[in-house]
CSV table of all heavy atoms in Angstrom, one decimal:
chain,number,residue,atom,x,y,z
A,225,VAL,N,-22.7,121.1,77.1
A,225,VAL,CA,-22.9,122.4,77.6
A,225,VAL,C,-22.7,123.5,76.5
A,225,VAL,O,-21.6,123.5,75.9
A,225,VAL,CB,-22.0,122.8,78.8
A,225,VAL,CG1,-22.3,124.2,79.3
A,225,VAL,CG2,-22.2,121.8,79.9
A,226,LEU,N,-23.7,124.3,76.2
A,226,LEU,CA,-23.6,125.2,75.1
A,226,LEU,C,-23.8,126.7,75.6
A,226,LEU,O,-24.9,127.0,76.0
A,226,LEU,CB,-24.7,124.9,74.0
A,226,LEU,CG,-24.6,123.5,73.4
A,226,LEU,CD1,-25.8,123.3,72.4
A,226,LEU,CD2,-23.3,123.3,72.7
A,227,GLY,N,-22.8,127.4,75.6
A,227,GLY,CA,-22.9,128.9,75.9
A,227,GLY,C,-23.2,129.2,77.4
A,227,GLY,O,-24.0,130.1,77.6
A,228,SER,N,-22.6,128.5,78.3
A,228,SER,CA,-22.8,128.8,79.7
A,228,SER,C,-21.5,128.9,80.4
A,228,SER,O,-20.7,128.0,80.2
A,228,SER,CB,-23.7,127.8,80.4
A,228,SER,OG,-23.8,128.1,81.8
A,229,SER,N,-21.3,129.9,81.2
A,229,SER,CA,-20.0,130.0,82.0
A,229,SER,C,-20.2,129.2,83.3
A,229,SER,O,-19.2,129.0,84.0
A,229,SER,CB,-19.7,131.4,82.3
A,229,SER,OG,-20.8,132.0,83.0
A,230,LEU,N,-21.4,128.6,83.5
A,230,LEU,CA,-21.6,127.7,84.6
A,230,LEU,C,-21.3,128.4,86.0
A,230,LEU,O,-20.9,127.8,86.9
A,230,LEU,CB,-20.9,126.4,84.5
A,230,LEU,CG,-21.2,125.6,83.3
A,230,LEU,CD1,-20.2,124.4,83.1
A,230,LEU,CD2,-22.6,125.0,83.4
A,231,THR,N,-21.5,129.7,86.0
A,231,THR,CA,-21.2,130.5,87.2
A,231,THR,C,-22.2,130.2,88.3
A,231,THR,O,-21.8,130.1,89.5
A,231,THR,CB,-21.4,132.0,86.8
A,231,THR,OG1,-20.6,132.3,85.7
A,231,THR,CG2,-20.9,132.9,88.0
A,232,VAL,N,-23.5,130.0,87.9
A,232,VAL,CA,-24.5,129.7,88.9
A,232,VAL,C,-24.7,128.2,89.2
A,232,VAL,O,-24.7,127.4,88.2
A,232,VAL,CB,-25.9,130.3,88.4
A,232,VAL,CG1,-27.0,130.2,89.5
A,232,VAL,CG2,-25.7,131.8,88.1
A,233,LEU,N,-24.7,127.9,90.4
A,233,LEU,CA,-24.8,126.4,90.8
A,233,LEU,C,-26.1,125.8,90.2
A,233,LEU,O,-26.1,124.6,89.9
A,233,LEU,CB,-24.8,126.3,92.3
A,233,LEU,CG,-24.8,124.9,92.9
A,233,LEU,CD1,-23.6,124.1,92.4
A,233,LEU,CD2,-25.0,124.8,94.4
A,234,SER,N,-27.1,126.6,90.0
A,234,SER,CA,-28.4,126.1,89.5
A,234,SER,C,-28.1,125.3,88.2
A,234,SER,O,-28.8,124.2,88.0
A,234,SER,CB,-29.3,127.3,89.2
A,234,SER,OG,-30.5,126.9,88.6
A,235,GLY,N,-27.2,125.7,87.3
A,235,GLY,CA,-26.9,125.0,86.1
A,235,GLY,C,-25.7,124.1,86.3
A,235,GLY,O,-25.6,122.9,85.8
A,236,ARG,N,-24.7,124.5,87.1
A,236,ARG,CA,-23.4,123.8,87.3
A,236,ARG,C,-23.7,122.4,87.9
A,236,ARG,O,-22.9,121.5,87.7
A,236,ARG,CB,-22.5,124.6,88.1
A,236,ARG,CG,-21.0,124.1,88.1
A,236,ARG,CD,-20.0,125.1,88.7
A,236,ARG,NE,-20.1,125.3,90.1
A,236,ARG,CZ,-20.6,126.4,90.7
A,236,ARG,NH1,-20.9,127.4,89.9
A,236,ARG,NH2,-20.6,126.5,92.0
A,237,ARG,N,-24.7,122.3,88.8
A,237,ARG,CA,-24.9,121.1,89.5
A,237,ARG,C,-25.2,119.9,88.5
A,237,ARG,O,-24.9,118.8,88.9
A,237,ARG,CB,-26.1,121.2,90.4
A,237,ARG,CG,-27.4,121.6,89.8
A,237,ARG,CD,-28.5,121.7,90.8
A,237,ARG,NE,-29.6,122.7,90.3
A,237,ARG,CZ,-30.6,123.0,91.0
A,237,ARG,NH1,-30.8,122.5,92.2
A,237,ARG,NH2,-31.5,123.9,90.5
A,238,PHE,N,-25.7,120.2,87.3
A,238,PHE,CA,-25.9,119.1,86.4
A,238,PHE,C,-24.6,118.6,85.8
A,238,PHE,O,-24.4,117.4,85.5
A,238,PHE,CB,-26.9,119.5,85.3
A,238,PHE,CG,-28.2,120.0,85.8
A,238,PHE,CD1,-28.6,121.3,85.7
A,238,PHE,CD2,-28.9,119.1,86.6
A,238,PHE,CE1,-29.8,121.7,86.3
A,238,PHE,CE2,-30.2,119.5,87.2
A,238,PHE,CZ,-30.6,120.8,87.0
A,239,VAL,N,-23.6,119.5,85.7
A,239,VAL,CA,-22.3,119.1,85.2
A,239,VAL,C,-21.6,118.2,86.4
A,239,VAL,O,-21.0,117.2,86.1
A,239,VAL,CB,-21.4,120.3,84.9
A,239,VAL,CG1,-19.9,120.0,84.8
A,239,VAL,CG2,-21.9,121.0,83.7
A,240,LEU,N,-21.8,118.7,87.6
A,240,LEU,CA,-21.2,117.9,88.7
A,240,LEU,C,-21.8,116.5,88.8
A,240,LEU,O,-21.2,115.6,89.1
A,240,LEU,CB,-21.5,118.7,90.0
A,240,LEU,CG,-20.9,120.1,90.1
A,240,LEU,CD1,-21.3,120.8,91.4
A,240,LEU,CD2,-19.4,120.1,89.9
A,241,ARG,N,-23.2,116.5,88.6
A,241,ARG,CA,-23.9,115.2,88.6
A,241,ARG,C,-23.3,114.2,87.5
A,241,ARG,O,-23.1,113.1,87.7
A,241,ARG,CB,-25.4,115.4,88.5
A,241,ARG,CG,-26.2,114.1,88.5
A,241,ARG,CD,-26.1,113.3,89.8
A,241,ARG,NE,-26.6,114.0,91.0
A,241,ARG,CZ,-27.8,113.9,91.4
A,241,ARG,NH1,-28.7,113.1,90.8
A,241,ARG,NH2,-28.2,114.6,92.5
A,242,ALA,N,-23.2,114.8,86.3
A,242,ALA,CA,-22.7,114.0,85.2
A,242,ALA,C,-21.3,113.5,85.5
A,242,ALA,O,-21.1,112.3,85.3
A,242,ALA,CB,-22.7,114.8,83.9
A,243,ALA,N,-20.5,114.3,86.0
A,243,ALA,CA,-19.1,113.9,86.4
A,243,ALA,C,-19.1,112.8,87.4
A,243,ALA,O,-18.4,111.8,87.3
A,243,ALA,CB,-18.3,115.1,86.9
A,244,LYS,N,-20.0,112.9,88.4
A,244,LYS,CA,-20.1,111.9,89.4
A,244,LYS,C,-20.6,110.6,88.9
A,244,LYS,O,-20.2,109.5,89.3
A,244,LYS,CB,-21.1,112.4,90.5
A,244,LYS,CG,-21.1,111.7,91.8
A,244,LYS,CD,-22.0,112.4,92.8
A,244,LYS,CE,-22.1,111.6,94.1
A,244,LYS,NZ,-23.1,112.2,95.0
A,245,LEU,N,-21.4,110.6,87.8
A,245,LEU,CA,-22.0,109.4,87.2
A,245,LEU,C,-21.1,108.9,86.1
A,245,LEU,O,-21.4,107.8,85.5
A,245,LEU,CB,-23.4,109.7,86.6
A,245,LEU,CG,-24.5,110.1,87.6
A,245,LEU,CD1,-25.8,110.5,86.9
A,245,LEU,CD2,-24.8,108.9,88.5
A,246,GLY,N,-20.0,109.5,85.9
A,246,GLY,CA,-19.0,109.1,84.9
A,246,GLY,C,-19.5,109.4,83.4
A,246,GLY,O,-19.1,108.7,82.5
A,247,ILE,N,-20.5,110.3,83.3
A,247,ILE,CA,-21.0,110.7,82.0
A,247,ILE,C,-20.1,111.8,81.5
A,247,ILE,O,-19.9,112.8,82.1
A,247,ILE,CB,-22.5,111.1,82.1
A,247,ILE,CG1,-23.3,109.9,82.6
A,247,ILE,CG2,-23.0,111.7,80.8
A,247,ILE,CD1,-24.7,110.3,83.1
A,248,PRO,N,-19.6,111.6,80.3
A,248,PRO,CA,-18.7,112.7,79.8
A,248,PRO,C,-19.4,114.0,79.5
A,248,PRO,O,-20.5,114.0,79.1
A,248,PRO,CB,-18.1,112.1,78.4
A,248,PRO,CG,-19.0,110.9,78.2
A,248,PRO,CD,-19.7,110.5,79.4
A,249,VAL,N,-18.6,115.1,79.8
A,249,VAL,CA,-19.1,116.4,79.6
A,249,VAL,C,-18.3,117.1,78.6
A,249,VAL,O,-17.1,117.1,78.6
A,249,VAL,CB,-19.0,117.2,81.0
A,249,VAL,CG1,-19.5,118.7,80.8
A,249,VAL,CG2,-19.9,116.5,82.1
A,250,VAL,N,-19.0,117.8,77.6
A,250,VAL,CA,-18.3,118.6,76.7
A,250,VAL,C,-18.8,120.0,76.8
A,250,VAL,O,-20.1,120.2,76.9
A,250,VAL,CB,-18.5,118.1,75.2
A,250,VAL,CG1,-17.9,119.1,74.2
A,250,VAL,CG2,-17.9,116.7,75.0
A,251,ILE,N,-18.0,121.0,76.9
A,251,ILE,CA,-18.4,122.4,77.0
A,251,ILE,C,-18.0,123.2,75.8
A,251,ILE,O,-16.8,123.3,75.5
A,251,ILE,CB,-17.8,123.0,78.3
A,251,ILE,CG1,-18.2,122.2,79.6
A,251,ILE,CG2,-18.1,124.5,78.5
A,251,ILE,CD1,-17.6,122.6,80.9
A,252,VAL,N,-18.9,123.9,75.2
A,252,VAL,CA,-18.6,124.8,74.1
A,252,VAL,C,-19.1,126.2,74.6
A,252,VAL,O,-20.3,126.4,74.9
A,252,VAL,CB,-19.4,124.5,72.8
A,252,VAL,CG1,-18.9,125.4,71.7
A,252,VAL,CG2,-19.2,123.0,72.4
A,253,ASN,N,-18.1,127.1,74.8
A,253,ASN,CA,-18.4,128.4,75.3
A,253,ASN,C,-17.3,129.4,74.9
A,253,ASN,O,-16.2,129.0,74.8
A,253,ASN,CB,-18.5,128.3,76.9
A,253,ASN,CG,-19.0,129.6,77.5
A,253,ASN,OD1,-20.1,130.0,77.2
A,253,ASN,ND2,-18.2,130.3,78.3
A,254,GLN,N,-17.7,130.6,74.8
A,254,GLN,CA,-16.7,131.7,74.5
A,254,GLN,C,-16.1,132.1,75.9
A,254,GLN,O,-16.8,132.8,76.6
A,254,GLN,CB,-17.2,132.8,73.7
A,254,GLN,CG,-17.5,132.3,72.3
A,254,GLN,CD,-17.8,133.5,71.4
A,254,GLN,OE1,-18.9,134.0,71.2
A,254,GLN,NE2,-16.7,134.0,70.7
A,255,GLY,N,-14.9,131.7,76.2
A,255,GLY,CA,-14.3,132.0,77.5
A,255,GLY,C,-14.4,130.8,78.4
A,255,GLY,O,-15.1,129.8,78.1
A,256,PRO,N,-13.6,130.9,79.5
A,256,PRO,CA,-13.5,129.8,80.4
A,256,PRO,C,-14.8,129.6,81.2
A,256,PRO,O,-15.6,130.6,81.3
A,256,PRO,CB,-12.4,130.1,81.4
A,256,PRO,CG,-12.2,131.6,81.3
A,256,PRO,CD,-12.7,132.0,79.9
A,257,THR,N,-15.0,128.4,81.8
A,257,THR,CA,-16.2,128.2,82.6
A,257,THR,C,-15.9,127.5,83.9
A,257,THR,O,-14.7,127.0,84.0
A,257,THR,CB,-17.3,127.3,81.9
A,257,THR,OG1,-16.9,125.9,82.1
A,257,THR,CG2,-17.3,127.5,80.4
A,258,ARG,N,-16.8,127.5,84.8
A,258,ARG,CA,-16.5,126.9,86.1
A,258,ARG,C,-16.7,125.4,86.1
A,258,ARG,O,-16.5,124.7,87.1
A,258,ARG,CB,-17.4,127.5,87.2
A,258,ARG,CG,-17.0,128.9,87.6
A,258,ARG,CD,-17.7,129.4,88.8
A,258,ARG,NE,-17.3,128.7,90.0
A,258,ARG,CZ,-17.9,128.9,91.2
A,258,ARG,NH1,-18.9,129.8,91.3
A,258,ARG,NH2,-17.5,128.2,92.2
Side-chain angles (χ1 to χ4, degrees):
V225 179
L226 301 176
S228 174
S229 55
L230 299 168
T231 308
V232 182
L233 183 63
S234 179
R236 192 169 70 249
R237 61 183 152 181
F238 302 116
V239 169
L240 301 177
R241 178 63 63 93
K244 196 174 173 186
L245 295 172
I247 296 161
V249 176
V250 173
I251 299 175
V252 187
N253 189 59
Q254 290 194 273
T257 84
R258 286 190 68 184

